[in-house]
């Protein structure tokens, strides 16, 4: 997996997929994954998206093959945003379609708020404006008490519907549970300090918001307030209480994204 050196000397890994026609100058789409995740979690999305876009999957600082900050080293949402911007620079890309899932959506929103010239369109999945108004702070002592895998297994009902493929659930727990628990505690604690709902009025890019209709980790009404604050925002609810819509409903998520982008550019085939 290729990598580059971002702010503070941190190595950031990424993956590029492009199956567009060779004679087409395709737009770049940057995918930003959730916490406790990596680029592999987009496996059901990429085959369809890469037919139309130059798809770039960044592994967030501290996740996957990207370097994990040591306890004494800086870590912040601002640094995650800089990593994404630096990756676009590394690729020679002035602007891109930015897709953020859960915590990846916090980065995407901050890019659109503070760097509007880099964001052609914005797509947010299960991503409120920060975790401050959630119960996520209660996760940290529980993770330290029982471990990350046990915590995920015990709270899996917040993330997936009961009818989801148990093999998917087992894979998710194994993949997410392999993260360093102290770094994940640090990541969650930091995100719980953020609430940038009122800053959303600064977003200029056409925006898609996709959310679980029975959201349990965030607040379902937050998505309505987001739509009210973002000009040109479209809100789509999926019929689930599971937060992990990107994993549990990948085809519906991609359908919504391609429909949204096709309305902007009719040459994109849904």
């Amino acid at each position: 997996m290729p990598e580059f050196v971002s702010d503070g000397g941190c190595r950031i890994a990424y993956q590029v997929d492009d199956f567009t026609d060779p004679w087409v100058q395709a737009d770049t789409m940057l995918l930003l994954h959730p916490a406790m995740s990596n680029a592999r979690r987009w496996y059901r999305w990429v085959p369809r998206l890469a037919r139309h876009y130059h798809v770039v999957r960044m592994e967030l600082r501290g996740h996957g093959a990207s370097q994990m900050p040591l306890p004494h080293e800086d870590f912040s949402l601002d640094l995650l945003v800089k990593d994404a911007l630096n990756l676009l620079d590394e690729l020679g890309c002035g602007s891109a379609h930015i897709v953020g899932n859960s915590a990846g959506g916090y980065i995407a929103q901050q890019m659109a708020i503070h760097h509007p010239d880099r964001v052609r369109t914005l797509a947010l999945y299960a991503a409120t404006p920060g975790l401050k108004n959630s119960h996520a702070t209660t996760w940290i002592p529980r993770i330290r008490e029982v471990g990350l895998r046990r915590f995920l297994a015990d709270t899996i009902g917040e993330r997936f519907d009961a009818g989801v493929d148990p093999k998917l659930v087992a894979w998710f727990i194994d993949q997410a549970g392999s993260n360093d628990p102290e770094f994940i505690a640090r990541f969650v604690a930091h995100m719980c300090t953020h609430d940038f709902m009122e800053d959303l009025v600064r977003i200029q890019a056409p925006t898609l918001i996709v959310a679980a209709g029975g959201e349990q980790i965030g607040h379902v009404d937050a998505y309505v307030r987001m739509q009210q604050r973002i000009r040109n925002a479209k809100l789509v609810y999926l019929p689930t209480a599971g937060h992990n819509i990107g994993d549990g409903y990948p085809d519906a998520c991609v359908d919504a994204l391609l429909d949204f982008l096709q309305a902007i550019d009719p040459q994109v085939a849904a």
Side-chain angles (χ1 to χ4, degrees):
M1 183 177 288
E3 61 182 36
F4 72 99
V5 178
S6 190
D7 285 41
C10 186
R11 291 179 289 99
I12 302 298
Y14 64 96
Q15 182 75 41
V16 177
D17 301 277
D18 188 342
F19 293 95
T20 60
D21 294 327
W23 54 87
V24 173
Q25 187 67 35
D27 290 344
T28 296
M29 177 179 286
L30 176 62
L31 305 182
L32 301 169
H33 64 69
M36 299 182 282
S37 185
N38 56 45
R40 178 66 173 157
R41 288 273 291 280
W42 299 103
Y43 74 97
R44 285 281 297 273
W45 296 51
V46 169
R48 293 177 64 190
L49 296 178
R51 185 67 186 89
H52 308 290
Y53 295 95
H54 182 73
V55 176
V56 181
R57 294 177 276 165
M58 186 180 87
E59 300 208 313
L60 305 190
R61 182 177 293 229
H63 294 76
S66 289
Q67 187 173 345
M68 184 175 66
L70 297 175
H72 67 276
E73 294 177 326
D74 289 342
F75 174 76
S76 67
L77 179 55
D78 286 344
L79 280 173
L80 295 172
V81 172
K82 287 181 180 178
D83 293 340
L85 295 172
N86 290 340
L87 175 54
L88 293 182
D89 290 342
E90 176 79 7
L91 298 172
C93 181
S95 63
H97 302 278
I98 310 298
V99 180
N101 189 351
S102 194
Y106 309 158
I107 303 166
Q109 290 172 68
Q110 288 291 301
M111 292 175 71
I113 291 167
H114 298 290
H115 306 276
D117 57 317
R118 309 303 299 270
V119 181
R120 296 183 62 133
T121 64
L122 178 66
L124 306 171
Y125 290 82
T128 54
L131 269 179
K132 191 171 185 178
N133 297 310
S134 74
H135 67 281
T137 53
T138 65
W139 298 351
I140 298 170
R142 185 62 178 160
I143 290 171
R144 288 175 171 152
E145 178 186 359
V146 303
L148 193 50
R149 279 187 172 84
R150 172 67 183 278
F151 164 76
L152 291 168
D154 288 347
T155 59
I156 203 68
E158 295 183 348
R159 301 176 183 279
F160 292 101
D161 292 334
V164 74
D165 185 344
K167 292 180 181 179
L168 169 61
V169 173
W171 180 79
F172 164 77
I173 292 173
D174 183 64
Q175 181 271 306
S178 66
N179 286 274
D180 181 84
E182 283 303 318
F183 175 74
I184 294 303
R186 183 183 185 188
F187 188 103
V188 171
H190 178 73
M191 295 306 172
C192 285
T193 67
H194 286 281
D195 176 13
F196 38 90
M197 179 71 79
E198 299 311 316
D199 292 333
L200 298 183
V201 295
R202 297 170 58 183
I203 293 178
Q204 301 174 21
T207 300
L208 172 68
I209 304 167
V210 183
E215 172 71 72
Q216 299 180 69
I217 291 177
H219 293 281
V220 69
D221 65 335
Y223 300 106
V224 175
R225 290 186 284 128
M226 291 172 69
Q227 183 188 31
Q228 291 170 343
R229 286 163 174 76
I230 302 174
R231 185 180 60 178
N232 298 326
K234 177 182 179 181
L235 174 58
V236 175
Y237 280 119
L238 299 183
T240 177
H243 175 77
N244 286 41
I245 55 176
D247 303 298
Y249 290 80
D251 292 329
C253 288
V254 175
D255 285 345
L257 180 56
L258 290 177
D259 287 347
F260 167 72
L261 292 169
Q262 186 184 39
I264 296 169
D265 181 1
Q267 295 186 14
V268 175

